[in-house]
Amino acid sequence: MLLSRQAFATPFVICMCILGVGLIQFPQLQKLINSNQSASLETLDKEIKAENIRLNFLKKTPTFGYNNFIADLVYLNFIQYFGDDQVRDKTGYSLSPEYFEIILERDPRFLAAYRSLSISTSLYAGMPERAIALAEKGLKSLSPSVPEKSYYVWRYKGVDELLFLGNAKAAEQSFAMAANWASKFSDPESQMIAHTSQKTAEFLSRNPNSKYAQIATWAIILNNQVDERTQKRAIREIEALGGKVLTTPEGTHKIVFPPKD
């Protein structure tokens, strides 16, 4: 009886330690959020280094079956980190891929995380290689139907490859895979994604420098429920490529492509 109790207690205590470490992150991140313009860069750097140490610890800590719980907890931490614009303007977004290394290792089927990975790590942290590598690793655990709408991961990967690496060939293949996975479903959203992804892949196959393909890819970002800063960046990029962005009465964006590709 004593042995069985000890066998139960050991993983339980370790799991509680994991939970404790996770919860400790909240007040630390709250300190970052409450930091204002008067906070010194040196102080902020120390807090970022401390957060990095905690993330590295979590990467190496066993979860004993609580993978999804840890992934959710770290994702909440990431949202706090990413959303603190004042501090991020001073320190940058270099910790973004560190959060997602934990999140997607623990739960590679966490679909919403891939969208945040692409925006935070490629667009803001300037590390598209890390974002693509994490997406590629996660895709090994996905299938067309698991999780639902997993074809979006191929789209996010294609966005990063085209816009931030300039790798049109890899992007063409990613959009073609998105079209293939989405085409297996008959609902309107999946069919729309299949059609637009296939069109983007075709543009890139004919012309690797296609402005149409680049505009369509920035439109993916624009219409992806992103923050205002990201929307403004996407609109600027679309207009620089010769396109126009119109706002409909319903509040959605309509893209007008240039006369020639």
Side-chain angles (χ1 to χ4, degrees), residues 32 41 44-45 48 51-52 55 77-101 116-128 130-131 134 227-230 233:
L32 294 179
L41 184 58
L44 296 176
D45 283 342
I48 291 296
E51 177 68 0
N52 195 27
L55 292 173
N77 292 171
F78 162 75
I79 290 173
Q80 290 184 304
Y81 167 84
F82 185 75
D84 190 358
D85 295 342
Q86 288 187 357
V87 174
R88 296 289 74 74
D89 286 343
K90 289 186 175 184
T91 67
Y93 295 81
S94 61
L95 287 186
S96 293
E98 310 308 324
Y99 285 102
F100 288 103
E101 189 170 325
S116 299
L117 166 68
S118 178
I119 295 294
S120 66
T121 302
S122 294
L123 186 60
Y124 284 105
M127 302 180 192
R130 288 286 302 275
L134 288 169
D227 60 276
E228 185 177 354
R229 286 182 304 161
T230 308
R233 167 75 183 275

Side-chain angles (χ1 to χ4, degrees), residues 222-223 235 238-239 243-257:
L222 178 62
N223 292 312
I235 291 171
I238 289 170
E239 291 175 344
K244 293 182 179 180
V245 179
L246 305 177
T247 302
T248 68
E250 294 77 20
T252 60
H253 296 101
K254 179 181 179 181
I255 310 300
V256 179
F257 288 81

Side-chain angles (χ1 to χ4, degrees), residues 140-226:
K140 295 176 182 178
S141 299
L142 309 185
S143 70
S145 58
V146 180
E148 186 180 357
K149 301 180 182 179
S150 58
Y151 46 76
Y152 276 110
V153 180
W154 285 109
R155 300 239 315 164
Y156 303 146
K157 180 170 172 284
V159 167
D160 291 343
E161 290 163 337
L162 180 61
L163 299 184
F164 306 115
L165 285 188
N167 191 339
K169 187 63 178 178
E172 176 193 341
Q173 295 171 351
S174 292
F175 281 109
M177 285 297 296
N180 177 273
W181 282 26
S183 67
K184 300 181 185 301
F185 306 95
S186 59
D187 62 282
E189 180 180 356
S190 298
Q191 288 298 302
M192 183 271 291
I193 294 297
H195 175 73
T196 57
S197 297
Q198 187 60 43
K199 285 296 183 183
T200 303
E202 290 172 0
F203 287 146
L204 291 171
S205 68
R206 293 194 301 267
N207 177 10
N209 298 315
S210 169
K211 290 184 179 180
Y212 281 16
Q214 294 178 59
I215 290 172
T217 306
W218 278 111
I220 292 172
I221 294 177
L222 178 62
N223 292 312
N224 213 10
Q225 296 180 340
V226 291

